[in-house]
Amino acid sequence: MTTIAFIGLGNMGGPMAINLKKAGHDVRVFDLSKDAVSKLVAEGATAAFSAQDAVQGAKVVVSMLPASQHVEALFLGKDGAPGLLAAIAKDTLVIDSSTIAAATSQKVAKAADAAGIDFIDAPVSGGTGGAMAGTLTFMVGATASQLERAKPYLEKMGANIFHAGSVGAGQTAKICNNMLLGILMVGTSEAIALGVANGLDPKVLSEIMRRSSGGNWALEKYNPFPGVHENAPASKGYAGGFGTDLMLKDLGLAQDNAIATKSSTPLGGMARAIYAAHSIAGHGGEDFSSVIKMLQKQ
């Protein structure tokens, strides 16, 4: 049994922390949402009063936060307040599963290394269903020895673990994946909306495309049309899942990286513009599959 501090208990982080607890670890949790903490306490986790309290005595720290600024503020501090690295014991392993800029991961890792702390980036793919089932895919940026140290914990939360490269590489792999996901969801939504506008049954059309050359993950497991997949966010009022604003953030990271590397990503840029319009229309808090709403015939 290892004492693990888990910080960030949202739609993804909460189930991940539960799986670590189910694996027999002593999990200390913290989140700004008291309800999120209460759910983990009901699963046997221990509530911490603060992030600093959570890491006391922890051998492993896992973080799952919304964006780069949150990760940097947590670990490095903000407005003169010390960061969490000052409270984490030497030789502790820190696994950051947030999706952030690679440069931020590298900045925090450099400071952690100076303090004798192992910091790796390990963003995930697989959605809330994968988080609950423990079948996530981890894209890891770390040294070979750091990855081996992290594997026993990653394996309790995911089914696929890929060593993308050194620190920051996991984040680069993640933004490439999510850029493709955003593009695929828009394309899938367009196709289903077109078929429905012509009187086709969305379930039948989805199955036709799923088994044909248009098959993709959205059609397989995350259909954007209500009622096609019982457990998809679309069938739950687009609640939970992966928010539109989070997808917009990830697409922004991809575009920032494309500018920095002078890479051509026209479809990624178009997808970002579509999700920005969808967010401005008031759907930022809904699952990203709700983008079908702006493509449907009213």
Side-chain angles (χ1 to χ4, degrees), residues 11 19 25 28 74 81 97 103-104 107 110 130 135 150 170 190 198 233 271-272 276 287-288 290:
N11 292 333
N19 284 330
H25 295 297
R28 296 169 55 84
L74 174 68
S97 288
T104 301
K107 181 179 181 179
K110 183 177 180 180
T135 58
E190 285 187 354
N198 280 276
R272 184 187 182 281
D287 182 76
F288 80 108
S290 64

Side-chain angles (χ1 to χ4, degrees), residues 14-44:
M16 290 166 67
I18 288 173
N19 284 330
L20 288 172
K21 179 59 187 176
K22 288 180 177 178
H25 295 297
D26 175 20
V27 182
R28 296 169 55 84
V29 298
F30 176 73
D31 192 280
L32 295 177
S33 168
K34 292 183 179 180
D35 288 342
V37 172
S38 295
K39 289 179 182 178
L40 267 295
V41 170
E43 295 288 342

Side-chain angles (χ1 to χ4, degrees), residues 193-213:
L194 177 62
V196 170
N198 280 276
L200 296 184
D201 183 316
K203 285 188 177 181
V204 174
L205 175 59
S206 293
E207 186 64 9
I208 289 171
M209 294 191 294
R210 186 181 75 85
R211 294 180 178 274
S212 303
S213 55

Side-chain angles (χ1 to χ4, degrees), residues 252-276:
L253 289 173
Q255 291 307 294
D256 288 344
N257 187 275
I259 291 170
T261 59
K262 297 182 180 180
S263 299
S264 179
T265 56
L267 292 181
M270 188 176 295
R272 184 187 182 281
I274 290 170
Y275 276 102

Side-chain angles (χ1 to χ4, degrees), residues 5 9 21 42 94 100 107 167 170 186 231 238 245 262 292:
L9 306 171
K21 179 59 187 176
V94 178
I100 60 175
K107 181 179 181 179
V167 170
V186 171
N231 294 319
Y238 298 102
D245 281 345
K262 297 182 180 180
I292 195 173

Side-chain angles (χ1 to χ4, degrees), residues 143-161:
T143 64
S145 61
Q146 288 172 333
L147 176 59
E148 287 305 309
R149 187 180 177 191
K151 271 186 177 180
Y153 310 105
L154 299 179
E155 288 170 348
K156 302 304 180 185
M157 299 182 286
N160 303 293
I161 301 169

